[in-house]
Amino acid sequence: MKKWTKVVAAVVAGTMLLALAGCGGAKDSKPAAEKKADKKIVIGFSQVGAESEWRTANTESIKAAAKEAGIELKFSDGQQKQENQVKAIRSFIQQKVDVIAFSPVVETGWDTVLQEAKDAHIPVILTDRAIKLGKGNPEDYYVTFLGSDFIVEGQNAAKWLLEFTKKTDPVNIVELQGTVGSAPAIDRKKGFEEVMKDHPNYKIIKSQTGDFTRAKGKEVMESFLKSAKAEGQKIDVLYAHNDDMAIGAIQAIEEAGLKPGKDIIIVSVDGVKGAFEAMIAGKLNCTVECSPLLGPQLMDAVKNILAGKTLEKRILTKEGVFPADVAAKELPNRKY
Ligand code: GYE
């Protein structure tokens, strides 16, 4: 079957060459609109990396949706480095893609490359994470921004914790932050603190980045446990900005001879399958959902932009909160 497809393709290509030669370079006579219609849409997507289960699901969603929509996707993995993402965006500009989409690893430092995209008249879509510019309005540099509200996620984590623990005596919280300077790390911290401001007995005693990875989550949790012990402090709660860091931390807690989910209450963000499994095993207490399945929305946005439609500046993703007691029932419904 494959062989035949190849043969047919070769014949078609050959015929096309002959036809071109026969035309002697004369312009083809298709009207412009028709030509545009059969031209395949090309988008360049610069991804943050592959740091978490969330990110893997996000990449898969974008690749599958592009295929489904018949859109050619030029995909670049930034390996969590801004310079790689800037390079990728520049190469998309050079290749004159129809639309550039990217998920910025950090909020700042995009001014120059976004100006270059603007000068090249290539529309830009922000997915998942927000940006800040040195000067000027970021909204002038992208058509739309699709993704979750990370401040609400931080607030939801805090609200769940208050509801679950209902403590009036001191509660010592340690926090595993996401990538330094990234929108989800900044906003999940902010949202959580906003709610806790009115509950001063809930105190963040240690807070450090675990870069959204399991390995760093484990490493930093080990150091939290060690220093808390040395200082004679008890850790009551872990708030992790994503599930992967919580899962890494669970290992560290177990290796220290403690029971995650019992001796230390754990709440994290994303809602990946690994978190549901940890909840079913009684080691994680709650995950706040953040959907990575942005692919279909992204492809719709691309098509709408190219069809000349006006898009909403902000397309928000819906989120839920999943405590451990619903985990077993919910796991079969989870898509990531
Ligand atoms: O929570 C984390 C990932 O930007 C929402 O990035 C995303 C975050 C997600 O690495 O797991």
Side-chain angles (χ1 to χ4, degrees):
M1 187 71 182
K2 266 203 177 140
K3 242 190 210 161
W4 276 111
T5 322
K6 266 188 203 156
V7 172
V8 171
V11 170
V12 170
T15 317
M16 275 167 71
L17 273 178
L18 281 177
L20 274 178
C23 285
K27 279 190 187 145
D28 96 46
S29 53
K30 264 190 182 177
E34 209 178 297
K35 254 195 269 174
K36 218 176 168 189
D38 26 83
K39 201 190 134 238
K40 201 168 184 186
I41 297 171
V42 181
I43 85 162
F45 181 73
S46 162
Q47 179 59 292
V48 170
E51 73 282 5
S52 62
E53 256 190 74
W54 190 100
R55 191 63 57 195
T56 309
N58 180 244
T59 294
E60 277 166 13
S61 166
I62 287 164
K63 286 186 175 169
K67 206 168 169 198
E68 167 87 30
I71 291 176
E72 183 183 333
L73 174 70
K74 294 184 184 295
F75 180 89
S76 168
D77 178 339
Q79 299 183 328
Q80 283 186 288
K81 291 205 177 73
Q82 182 169 37
E83 51 186 282
N84 293 343
Q85 289 201 283
V86 170
K87 256 191 226 153
I89 295 170
R90 288 210 166 111
S91 109
F92 297 150
I93 297 173
Q94 246 172 18
Q95 296 172 66
K96 298 191 168 63
V97 299
D98 297 306
V99 175
I100 292 173
F102 79 117
S103 175
V105 61
V106 290
E107 284 191 336
T108 57
W110 304 101
D111 303 48
T112 313
V113 76
L114 286 180
Q115 186 60 50
E116 289 166 18
K118 197 176 181 145
D119 293 344
H121 305 290
I122 301 180
V124 171
I125 301 177
L126 275 189
T127 70
D128 154 41
R129 295 183 178 183
I131 52 160
K132 287 199 178 96
L133 291 186
K135 61 174 195 275
N137 184 358
E139 293 193 359
D140 295 340
Y141 292 83
Y142 62 80
V143 184
T144 186
F145 164 28
L146 34 119
S148 309
D149 185 329
F150 303 137
I151 296 188
V152 170
E153 290 169 355
Q155 291 169 341
N156 285 344
K159 285 181 193 162
W160 173 84
L161 183 63
L162 290 171
E163 204 28 56
F164 183 73
T165 51
K166 290 199 176 89
K167 293 260 194 220
T168 45
D169 43 341
V171 176
N172 288 341
I173 305 170
V174 295
E175 179 184 34
L176 281 169
Q177 295 181 37
T179 302
V180 177
S182 70
I186 295 167
D187 291 350
R188 286 174 187 165
K189 181 168 187 55
K190 194 170 165 196
F192 189 86
E193 284 173 350
E194 264 172 29
V195 172
M196 287 309 183
K197 209 174 57 229
D198 300 327
H199 304 269
N201 57 316
Y202 285 77
K203 223 173 111 197
I204 298 180
I205 57 161
K206 293 176 195 298
S207 180
Q208 215 175 295
T209 179
D211 210 12
F212 281 132
T213 68
R214 284 187 191 201
K216 285 261 178 64
K218 177 168 189 258
E219 192 184 304
V220 177
M221 190 67 206
E222 276 165 5
S223 85
F224 283 167
L225 287 161
K226 245 192 225 158
S227 60
K229 199 172 178 189
E231 292 153 12
Q233 277 177 319
K234 180 175 180 307
I235 298 173
D236 301 305
V237 172
L238 164 65
Y239 167 42
H241 290 186
N242 82 343
D243 293 335
D244 283 76
M245 292 190 294
I247 291 166
I250 285 171
Q251 269 189 47
I253 295 168
E254 285 180 324
E255 284 170 20
L258 295 167
K259 287 204 168 68
K262 294 186 183 71
D263 296 328
I264 297 178
I265 301 301
I266 308 175
V267 54
S268 56
V269 186
D270 275 355
V272 296
K273 279 199 179 130
F276 280 79
E277 283 154 11
M279 286 196 287
I280 292 167
K283 298 176 181 185
L284 177 73
N285 303 87
C286 181
T287 185
V288 173
E289 186 182 37
C290 174
S291 175
L293 308 178
L294 304 177
Q297 273 175 313
L298 173 59
M299 299 312 145
D300 283 351
V302 167
K303 284 186 181 163
N304 287 336
I305 290 173
L306 296 176
K309 293 190 186 149
T310 311
L311 275 80
E312 304 232 12
K313 213 66 214 188
R314 184 78 172 95
I315 302 173
L316 269 176
T317 321
K318 284 198 189 115
E319 353 236 32
V321 175
F322 297 98
D325 52 3
V326 302
K329 207 176 130 233
E330 275 297 325
L331 181 61
N333 306 327
R334 302 304 294 169
K335 299 214 163 51
Y336 62 93

